[in-house]
Amino acid sequence: MSEIVKRPQTLPEVRPTDVGRLEPVRTQTVTFEGPGETLHLESGQTLHPITVAYETYGELNERRDNAVLVCHALSGDAHAAGYYGLERDEKPGWWDILIGPGKPLDTRKYFVICSNFLGGCKGTTGPSSINPATGKPYGMDFPFYTVKDMVQVQRRLLKHLGVPRLLVVIGGSLGGMQVLQWAISFPEMVRGAIPIASTARLSPQAIAFNEVARQAIMSDPEWNGGDYSLDDQPERGLGLARMIGHITYLSEQAMLRKFSRRYINDQGRSFCLTKDFQVESYLHHQGSSFVRRFDANTYLYITRAMDYFDLEAAYGRISTAFSGCRSSFLVVSFTSDWLFPPDQSRELVQALRRVGLDVSYCNIESDQGHDAFLLPGHRMGDVVSGFLERLARVDAS
Amino acid sequence: MSEIVKRPQTLPEVRPTDVGRLEPVRTQTVTFEGPGETLHLESGQTLHPITVAYETYGELNERRDNAVLVCHALSGDAHAAGYYGLERDEKPGWWDILIGPGKPLDTRKYFVICSNFLGGCKGTTGPSSINPATGKPYGMDFPFYTVKDMVQVQRRLLKHLGVPRLLVVIGGSLGGMQVLQWAISFPEMVRGAIPIASTARLSPQAIAFNEVARQAIMSDPEWNGGDYSLDDQPERGLGLARMIGHITYLSEQAMLRKFSRRYINDQGRSFCLTKDFQVESYLHHQGSSFVRRFDANTYLYITRAMDYFDLEAAYGRISTAFSGCRSSFLVVSFTSDWLFPPDQSRELVQALRRVGLDVSYCNIESDQGHDAFLLPGHRMGDVVSGFLERLARVDAS
C-alpha cells in the first residue's frame, strides 16, 4: 500500500462564531497497490491497483469511536463538505448542510470521512482511470463492480486511516444502499446505520429509467463502444441521460412549484420544438453542466451497480440479509420521493424489525422528491442529530 | 375538394352470432385541395392541400344523429376497429375492445368515424408527407399544428361525410384533448363528449418527458435536422423516445406485476450493461417495433401539440373555456395513471360543473397506468355504454 496521504492538520479550536463553516478542506488519495491488495470483485473479476480519493473533517478521538462514514450517491464525490478555498462564490461540498461545526454531523465531535466510491470518476479508480496494462482509460475494459465491492474498498480506506469501527454510516439513495451493505458485510464495525431515501432493491420502473439513460449514452456515436478520449465525451448522450435522471429526482409537485407551465418567453408559446418551457430550459442546463463534471462510461457502470443491488435476491429474504446485523438503524424517506418511494423504506423497516433490530423510521414531509436528501428546508438534519444523541445516551448508560 | 372516397357498402344485417366482429374494414382518404380549402393554422402558418385518412363503421341513420367521432392518441391511426382481412393472426384496430357490433360503441346502432389526425403519419397530411412545393417530405418545413387545428380538419371530414352533428365524440389521452376542443370549438355539434385519461393541460413533468423524448430523436445524427429519407429513419433516437414514453404509459404496479425484477436469464444477473432484466427487454421490443410504424419528425410535432394544449392559458380559466359548451360530459380517468393523473380529470369535472354543464365522472380502478384506456379488463366499456344509454333516454323523454 503506498502512502501518498497526509492526515489533515489538527483543526484549531472552534469558536462559536465559526459555527457552520469548516476550515478549508482538501481531497486526499491513497493507493492500494501491494501484491496482496488485488480486489476480488463480485463479478468474479479482479482489480489492481486501486486509488481511493477521500476527505476527512474533524478529528478521530483517542478511543477511535467517533468516526462517521458518509457514502455518496450516483453523481457525488469525496468532497462532502466545506470549501477548498475561501472564495465566496465557490460551491461547498455536496452535503455541507449536514456536515460541519455545529451541524448534525458536528465536526467538533465527529471524525467524518467521505470517499469517492469504487468505480467513480472523481479520483477513485474507475472506468475513466488509466488502465496500467494499456496506458489508456479502462473504458469498457473496466470490470463490473457492485455496491458490495464499493463497501470492501471503503473498509480498506478505514483500515488505512486507523478507524476500527464506525459510530455511524450514513448516505442517501445509492449511498443508502452502501449503508445497508456496510451493516450486513461488517456488522461488528457499525454502531449506527442511516439509509436515507434508499431501498433494499430498485423497482423495475427505476431500472427502466436507468436503462433509457444508458441507451441515451450508448446511442451517441461519440460513445464509440466506450472508447473515447476523456476530453471528447459523448456529451449529447450523457447530457440526455442526466436530463432523464433529473425528471425522476424531482417530484411532480416540485416541478409545478418551480416552473409550472411557464414559458421562457413572456409572450407565451414560440412554436418551436425545444426549450420553449422553463422546465425544458432547466433540464438542458442540468444536462450540460453534468457533462462537464462526469464521465459517460462511469455513468453506465454505476447505474448498473444500482440495478443489481438486491438484498432479497442475494439473501433469499430482506430480513435474512439483516439477520447478522447489530447496528441501530435510522431509516429516512421523503413523502414525495417516487424513485425511492417511502413504501420501500417501510419495507426495510419491517425487515429490520422482524429480526429484532433497533430501528427508527422517519418519513419526512417534503415536495422536493428524491433530491430532498441533498437539499435544506426539512427536518432531516434534526432527525439525524436526534439519532446520534440517542446513540450516545444509550451507549453512556 | 377531390372525391376519392367511396362510402362503405351497407353492412349486412348482423346476426347475434356475429356480435363482436366487424366485417372487413378499409381505410379511405379524402383530399381537400380546392382553392378555398387552405387551412389557416393557429401558428399563423397555412397548409394546402390536406389529405385525411379515415375509417367508418356502421351506417349513418336517416336522421343523421347517430354519428360517433373517435379521436386517437399519439401513436394511433384511423384504423380504430375491425380487421382489414380475415387472417386470424392480424391485429384488430387499436380500439376494437370498444367498437363493433354489440360493443359499447355498437356499430349496429352508431355510425363510428375515426380519422388519422392532422400532422399524423398514417395517411393524413403530416411531416412525412410529400411537400408539393419540393417533391420531398415536408420534414421540418411542415408548419406547427395544434389540437385546435386537428379538430378543424376533423370538422371538414364530417362535412364531407354529410354528418351535421355528433352524438358523441370520444378519445383517450391526446384523443381526449381533441374531445375537449371539439366541445369548445363546435358546441352546437356535440351532444356528448367523453374525454378519457386526459387533461386540460399537461403537467410540467409530462412536458419534461416529451422533451427528453424529442431530444433522443434530435440527438440521433441520422435525424439530420429532420432531413432524412423515410426508409432510413433515425431509428435509435425514435426507438429511445418510445422507450421513454412507454415507462410513463405503464404504472409502477403494472411493471411489478408484469416483470418484477426478473432477469431474462434464469441464472440471474449476467453482468452486462443492457437487456439483462425482463423490463429492459420489453422496452427495447417496444422501441424497435415502433420505429417500423412511425415517423420521427411526426413524433416531434405531435408531442409539441400536446405540450401546447392548455385550456387555462387559451381561455384564462379552464371553466371559461367551457362556458359556451352545450354537451353532456363523461370524464373518465384511471387510478394508476400518473401521466394524466386522476386529479387532472377531477379538475376538468370541477370546471365543467362550475359552468353548469351535465357531467359524470368515473375514476376507474386499474393498475395498468395511462395505457389502461387501450386495454381490456376494466369497466371503461360499461361506463361508456351507460353514458350513451342515458343520453338516449334523456333525448327521448
Side-chain angles (χ1 to χ4, degrees):
Chain A
M1 189 171 80
S2 87
E3 173 62 84
I4 53 170
V5 174
K6 292 271 181 295
R7 286 283 274 289
Q9 297 297 311
T10 303
L11 291 175
E13 191 66 27
V14 177
R15 296 182 304 272
T17 50
D18 293 331
V19 167
R21 184 130 187 154
L22 282 165
E23 294 295 303
V25 301
R26 64 198 178 89
T27 307
Q28 306 176 79
T29 57
V30 55
T31 298
F32 303 101
E33 58 187 352
E37 294 186 317
T38 295
L39 187 69
H40 294 269
L41 299 157
E42 266 205 282
S43 63
Q45 297 167 283
T46 58
L47 190 64
H48 182 261
I50 296 168
T51 295
V52 177
Y54 67 97
E55 296 189 7
T56 67
Y57 322 106
E59 284 285 300
L60 188 61
N61 64 13
E62 282 191 10
R63 290 166 58 187
R64 300 193 298 170
D65 63 2
N66 69 332
V68 171
L69 180 67
V70 171
C71 301
H72 70 76
L74 197 159
S75 64
D77 54 29
H79 185 40
Y83 297 80
Y84 291 123
L86 291 167
E87 292 86 12
R88 289 285 152 193
D89 57 348
E90 188 191 332
K91 274 179 73 177
W94 59 270
W95 229 0
D96 197 71
I97 55 166
L98 212 63
I99 305 164
K103 294 184 184 178
L105 301 180
D106 191 337
T107 48
R108 297 171 306 189
K109 291 194 223 169
Y110 307 121
F111 179 56
V112 180
I113 307 152
C114 183
S115 63
N116 185 215
F117 52 50
L118 172 71
C121 55
K122 303 299 182 79
T124 294
T125 301
S128 65
S129 303
I130 298 301
N131 180 352
T134 63
K136 298 200 313 177
Y138 280 100
M140 288 296 106
D141 289 334
F142 201 77
F144 277 89
Y145 52 91
T146 63
V147 170
K148 202 171 183 178
D149 298 324
M150 293 176 183
V151 166
Q152 295 292 337
V153 172
Q154 287 160 350
R155 171 73 189 85
R156 289 191 184 185
L157 173 66
L158 294 193
K159 201 169 173 189
H160 164 71
L161 294 174
V163 172
R165 58 194 166 275
L166 295 166
L167 176 63
V168 154
V169 52
I170 182 172
S173 192
L174 170 55
M177 292 175 171
Q178 295 161 62
V179 170
L180 297 173
Q181 191 63 55
W182 256 102
I184 293 166
S185 291
F186 303 106
E188 73 291 348
M189 285 184 67
V190 179
R191 175 68 189 92
I194 312 181
I196 301 175
S198 195
T199 182
R201 46 169 164 31
L202 291 185
S203 69
Q205 188 184 65
I207 294 173
F209 280 119
N210 278 343
E211 173 63 4
V212 292
R214 282 188 295 267
Q215 286 303 316
I217 292 169
M218 296 194 284
S219 297
D220 186 338
E222 304 287 320
W223 178 63
N224 190 32
D227 186 14
Y228 53 81
S229 125
L230 294 181
D231 48 11
D232 193 19
Q233 278 220 77
E235 290 192 1
R236 292 204 70 157
L238 180 59
L240 179 53
R242 182 64 168 178
M243 290 169 74
I244 293 167
H246 244 280
I247 300 175
T248 68
Y249 306 151
L250 293 184
S251 71
E252 195 193 349
Q253 305 96 291
M255 278 199 178
L256 262 173
R257 175 172 48 78
K258 288 160 89 104
F259 314 110
S260 184
R261 288 182 46 96
R262 281 190 298 277
Y263 293 96
I264 293 166
N265 186 325
D266 285 343
Q267 276 75 56
R269 60 189 176 186
S270 309
F271 291 105
C272 59
L273 287 173
T274 181
K275 291 194 223 177
D276 202 10
F277 290 92
Q278 290 184 11
V279 65
E280 295 175 317
S281 173
Y282 168 82
L283 288 178
H284 279 271
H285 172 74
Q286 293 295 334
S288 57
S289 63
F290 190 64
V291 301
R292 289 194 295 272
R293 63 183 178 90
F294 214 82
D295 168 61
N297 285 333
T298 305
Y299 197 94
L300 302 177
Y301 277 86
I302 296 177
T303 52
R304 206 43 149 180
M306 294 176 73
D307 294 347
Y308 280 153
F309 183 75
D310 185 343
L311 295 182
E312 190 174 33
Y315 299 90
R317 289 182 70 176
I318 301 176
S319 55
T320 308
F322 297 122
S323 59
C325 291
R326 304 179 200 170
S327 319
S328 292
F329 283 80
L330 167 63
V331 177
V332 178
S333 60
F334 296 92
T335 52
S336 59
D337 183 349
W338 59 284
L339 190 62
F340 290 73
D343 273 352
Q344 295 185 347
S345 282
R346 284 187 204 105
E347 187 185 41
L348 272 179
V349 170
Q350 281 163 10
L352 291 162
R353 289 202 173 130
R354 197 168 295 132
V355 294
L357 288 162
D358 169 35
V359 49
S360 309
Y361 172 54
C362 189
N363 186 26
I364 295 176
E365 183 74 31
S366 163
D367 81 347
Q368 295 166 317
H370 185 57
D371 256 359
F373 82 93
L374 295 168
L375 301 171
H378 47 65
R379 299 192 300 124
M380 184 180 74
D382 293 342
V383 171
V384 168
S385 349
F387 179 73
L388 279 160
E389 283 158 22
R390 189 169 73 83
L391 278 195
R393 275 201 309 276
V394 169
D395 293 351
S397 66
Chain B
M1 190 172 80
S2 88
E3 173 62 84
I4 55 170
V5 172
K6 291 270 182 300
R7 287 284 276 289
Q9 297 299 309
T10 304
L11 291 174
E13 191 65 27
V14 177
R15 297 181 305 271
T17 52
D18 293 330
V19 167
R21 186 129 186 154
L22 282 165
E23 294 296 301
V25 302
R26 64 197 178 89
T27 307
Q28 305 174 80
T29 57
V30 55
T31 299
F32 302 100
E33 58 186 352
E37 294 186 317
T38 295
L39 187 68
H40 294 269
L41 299 158
E42 265 206 283
S43 63
Q45 298 168 283
T46 57
L47 190 65
H48 182 260
I50 296 167
T51 294
V52 177
Y54 67 96
E55 296 190 6
T56 66
Y57 322 106
E59 284 285 298
L60 188 62
N61 63 16
E62 283 190 8
R63 291 167 57 188
R64 299 193 301 169
D65 62 2
N66 70 331
V68 171
L69 179 66
V70 171
C71 301
H72 69 76
L74 197 158
S75 63
D77 54 29
H79 185 39
Y83 298 79
Y84 291 123
L86 290 167
E87 293 85 12
R88 288 288 151 193
D89 57 348
E90 187 191 335
K91 276 178 73 179
W94 59 270
W95 229 0
D96 197 71
I97 55 166
L98 211 63
I99 305 164
K103 295 183 184 177
L105 301 181
D106 191 336
T107 49
R108 298 172 304 190
K109 293 194 224 168
Y110 308 121
F111 178 56
V112 179
I113 307 151
C114 182
S115 64
N116 184 213
F117 52 51
L118 172 71
C121 55
K122 303 300 183 77
T124 294
T125 300
S128 65
S129 303
I130 298 300
N131 180 351
T134 64
K136 298 199 315 178
Y138 280 100
M140 288 296 106
D141 289 334
F142 201 77
F144 278 89
Y145 51 91
T146 63
V147 170
K148 201 170 182 179
D149 298 324
M150 293 176 183
V151 166
Q152 294 292 337
V153 171
Q154 287 159 350
R155 171 73 189 86
R156 290 193 184 183
L157 172 66
L158 294 194
K159 200 168 175 193
H160 163 71
L161 293 174
V163 172
R165 58 193 166 276
L166 294 166
L167 176 62
V168 154
V169 53
I170 182 172
S173 192
L174 169 56
M177 292 175 170
Q178 295 160 64
V179 170
L180 297 174
Q181 190 63 55
W182 256 102
I184 293 165
S185 292
F186 302 107
E188 74 292 348
M189 285 184 68
V190 179
R191 175 68 188 90
I194 312 181
I196 300 175
S198 196
T199 183
R201 50 167 162 29
L202 290 186
S203 69
Q205 188 184 65
I207 295 173
F209 280 119
N210 278 344
E211 173 62 5
V212 292
R214 280 188 295 266
Q215 285 303 315
I217 292 169
M218 296 196 283
S219 297
D220 186 336
E222 304 287 321
W223 178 62
N224 190 33
D227 186 14
Y228 53 82
S229 124
L230 293 181
D231 48 11
D232 193 17
Q233 278 222 77
E235 289 192 3
R236 292 205 70 158
L238 180 59
L240 179 53
R242 183 63 169 177
M243 290 169 75
I244 294 167
H246 245 280
I247 301 176
T248 67
Y249 306 152
L250 293 184
S251 71
E252 195 194 349
Q253 304 96 291
M255 278 199 178
L256 262 174
R257 175 172 49 78
K258 286 160 90 105
F259 314 111
S260 184
R261 288 183 46 97
R262 282 190 298 277
Y263 293 96
I264 293 166
N265 186 325
D266 284 342
Q267 275 75 57
R269 60 188 176 187
S270 308
F271 292 105
C272 59
L273 287 173
T274 181
K275 291 193 222 178
D276 203 10
F277 291 92
Q278 289 184 12
V279 66
E280 295 174 317
S281 173
Y282 169 82
L283 289 178
H284 279 270
H285 171 74
Q286 293 296 333
S288 57
S289 63
F290 189 64
V291 301
R292 288 193 296 272
R293 64 183 178 90
F294 214 82
D295 168 60
N297 286 333
T298 305
Y299 197 93
L300 302 178
Y301 278 85
I302 296 177
T303 52
R304 206 42 151 181
M306 293 176 75
D307 295 347
Y308 281 152
F309 183 74
D310 186 343
L311 295 183
E312 191 175 32
Y315 299 89
R317 289 182 71 176
I318 302 174
S319 54
T320 309
F322 297 121
S323 59
C325 290
R326 304 180 201 170
S327 319
S328 291
F329 283 80
L330 167 64
V331 177
V332 178
S333 60
F334 296 93
T335 52
S336 60
D337 184 349
W338 59 284
L339 190 62
F340 290 72
D343 273 353
Q344 295 184 347
S345 281
R346 284 187 204 105
E347 186 185 41
L348 272 179
V349 170
Q350 281 162 12
L352 291 162
R353 289 201 174 131
R354 196 168 297 132
V355 293
L357 289 162
D358 169 36
V359 50
S360 309
Y361 172 53
C362 189
N363 186 27
I364 296 175
E365 183 74 32
S366 163
D367 82 346
Q368 296 167 317
H370 184 58
D371 256 359
F373 81 92
L374 295 168
L375 302 171
H378 48 66
R379 299 191 302 121
M380 184 180 73
D382 293 341
V383 171
V384 168
S385 349
F387 179 74
L388 280 160
E389 282 159 23
R390 190 170 71 84
L391 279 195
R393 273 200 311 276
V394 169
D395 293 350
S397 67

